[in-house]
Every structure is written in C-alpha cells, then in structure tokens.
Amino acid sequence: MAVSNNITAFVNFLALLCSVPIIGTGIWLASKQDNECLRLARWPVVILGVLLLLVSLAGFVGAYWNRQGLLAFYLFAMAALIVLLLILLVFAFVVTKPSGEYGVPGRGYAEYRLDGFSAWLRHYVADPGHWDRIRVCLGESDVCQKLNRDSPYLTADEFFLSPLSPLQTGCCKPPTACGYGYVNPTVWVNPSNPGADPDCSLWSNDQSQLCYNCNSCKAGMLGNLREEWRKANVALIVAAVALIFVYVIGCSALKNAQTEDLFRRYKQGYI
C-alpha cells in the first residue's frame, strides 16, 4: 500500500475517533430529563455522529485496501455530513442565543419568561399541540417529586438559596411574584399577590399538576434546553474543527496517492 494511502487510512481513523465525542454528546443530550419529553431534540446529534462514524469507517477501508469507489463515497459523504454539522451548530446557536432568564432578589435561582426565548423554540415547545404531550410526560416524570423527595431543604430560607434548574424553577413551584408561602418544595399556600402573574392562578398543590400548565414551566423547559445545547455546542464545535482539519488532510493525501499511482503506472509503461 502506498505511503499516501497509509496516511489517508490513518486520517480516516482520526475522523472515526472524532465521531465518538459527537455520539457521546448526543447520548448526553438524549439522557437529560427534559429531553425525555422532547422527541425532536433527542436523537439528531446521535444519528449524525453514527453517520460520521460509518462514513469514516468506509473511508478507512477504502484507503487501506485501495478501493477507489469507497474513497469517492467517503469524500462526498463526509463533506455533506460536515456541512450538516455546521448547519446544526449555526442553527442551535441562533435559536438558543436569546435567554428568558431574569434574576430574583434574595434567591439562589433565576426565573424565566417565555417571551424571552426565540420564536422557533417557543413554537416548538409552547405550541398547544406540543405542550399537551410534554405536560403529560412531565407529570409522569419525577423531576419535581425528586426535588421534594431528595431535597435537603428544611426551611424556606434554605430552599430560596438553592441552585434550582430552570425546569424545577418553572414547573415545581409558583412564580416568586405571586407571594406564595413555602411549605415544602412542591407545596405552597396563601399567595399574597395572586394578580401579579397569570400563572399564580394556575398553580396547584396536586402533585400531578403543580405548575405544568404555567407559562413559567414552558419557559423553564426552554431554559433547560438552552443550557444543555449551549454546553453541547462546545463539544460539537471542537469536533467540527477537528473533522474539517482531518478532511482537508485526507483530501490532500488522497490526491497524492492518485498522483503516485499515476506515476507508477507511467513508469511501468501502461501509458
């Protein structure tokens, strides 16, 4: 096997390794509790990572055993997948850029407004047709029950200083502006300012309802989704840069391999 083919095979092996963090990032996103209730957000990164792995494997086999058809497929498919990865990155960055977060004095957690997020995310999550399914899924999950069951908060002050997730902030308790009295993380009574927010009247101490009908819960879901995708974007950007670098080297090595093959055939008198 020519030296350039060896290089091409090695480069494709590196591309195969680059697909692993993409798959891992997708699995991490899919395993997050909020994504269990969001079908579209769960698997696209995993699927893209698996496709990158398979294409890299095809390129490795093609280079190692000098299969020109596999190498041509690798060049075309890898370029297409890198473009898809870049599109996914740009899209995720744009739709997660706006943040509906606002600080609450005397609290260790932030709260969220639905209109502070991008229109696409609001439509994707808060649309009635989508939210009805998500609300049922949240009610069947243990996102709030776990907070109540496993929390170390014995007093209201301890709870108010706790670092709640956006989902817990929006779905497991009423908005702070309502002035509800704390009993435990998922039981609140006697609002002092029930007209401060439309969500105040939607709060329920029924553990299957809580604030799952509230706009604050929809905003909390978007806040969780935004935080997770912003973290995932870091790994995806690193993987994308590495893949582009590896792809450019692979193209150069493949071109050199073709030149070597042409020169070898020339020396042997075939042309």
XYZ file of all heavy atoms in Angstrom, residues 6 11 32 36 52 68 89 126 128 143 210-211 226 230:
113
model
N -1.533 5.001 3.182
C -1.381 4.820 4.632
C -1.820 6.069 5.389
O -2.507 5.990 6.407
C 0.087 4.505 4.979
C 0.426 3.052 4.755
O -0.392 2.174 4.986
N 1.641 2.798 4.286
N -5.745 9.058 8.580
C -6.582 10.252 8.713
C -8.045 9.852 8.891
O -8.786 10.441 9.692
C -6.401 11.169 7.489
C -7.523 12.192 7.400
C -5.058 11.877 7.558
N -30.840 13.566 29.194
C -31.295 14.608 30.109
C -32.800 14.488 30.307
O -33.553 14.182 29.383
C -30.936 15.993 29.585
C -29.459 16.189 29.311
C -28.594 15.924 30.521
C -28.683 17.008 31.551
N -27.771 16.796 32.696
N -36.350 13.799 27.577
C -37.193 12.615 27.519
C -38.601 12.985 27.037
O -39.318 12.141 26.511
C -37.276 11.952 28.895
C -35.953 11.347 29.369
C -36.065 10.738 30.749
O -37.186 10.748 31.307
O -35.048 10.250 31.273
N -21.326 9.804 10.717
C -19.917 10.189 10.578
C -19.004 8.995 10.844
O -18.007 8.789 10.153
C -19.590 11.338 11.533
C -20.085 12.724 11.132
C -19.996 13.695 12.304
C -19.284 13.257 9.948
N -11.180 2.524 -4.680
C -11.440 3.884 -5.139
C -12.912 4.281 -5.007
O -13.233 5.439 -4.735
C -10.997 4.017 -6.597
C -9.497 3.871 -6.793
C -8.695 4.908 -6.023
O -9.037 6.096 -6.034
N -7.644 4.471 -5.344
N -24.897 23.400 14.054
C -24.247 24.282 15.028
C -24.770 25.712 14.912
O -25.087 26.347 15.922
C -22.728 24.256 14.821
C -21.964 23.104 15.462
C -20.523 23.068 14.957
C -21.986 23.236 16.982
N -43.914 25.466 23.232
C -45.115 26.049 23.843
C -46.362 25.930 22.987
O -47.465 26.221 23.478
C -44.858 27.526 24.164
N -49.667 24.636 21.687
C -50.588 23.763 22.441
C -50.516 22.297 22.043
O -50.561 21.405 22.887
C -51.966 24.370 22.127
C -51.688 25.809 21.848
C -50.353 25.838 21.172
N -39.307 14.694 37.938
C -38.485 15.899 38.021
C -38.809 16.727 39.258
O -37.914 17.255 39.922
C -38.628 16.744 36.733
C -40.058 17.202 36.516
C -37.691 17.928 36.764
N -49.139 20.679 39.743
C -48.161 21.706 40.108
C -48.295 22.902 39.168
O -49.376 23.466 39.038
C -46.753 21.113 40.102
C -46.528 19.963 41.106
C -45.118 19.428 41.010
C -46.841 20.392 42.537
N -47.188 23.289 38.477
C -47.284 24.429 37.559
C -47.082 23.980 36.109
O -46.619 24.749 35.274
C -46.249 25.501 37.922
S -46.848 27.214 37.733
N -31.952 25.251 26.498
C -30.930 26.208 26.065
C -29.601 25.919 26.746
O -28.545 25.889 26.093
C -31.394 27.634 26.392
C -30.387 28.704 26.003
C -30.863 30.088 26.405
N -29.919 31.108 25.978
C -28.837 31.464 26.671
N -28.573 30.892 27.847
N -28.027 32.402 26.199
N -26.211 24.769 24.738
C -25.033 25.648 24.756
C -23.800 24.870 25.216
O -22.696 25.074 24.706
C -25.271 26.843 25.690
C -26.445 27.722 25.330
C -26.239 28.507 24.067
N -25.512 29.737 24.270
C -25.416 30.719 23.393
N -26.005 30.587 22.219
N -24.723 31.796 23.631
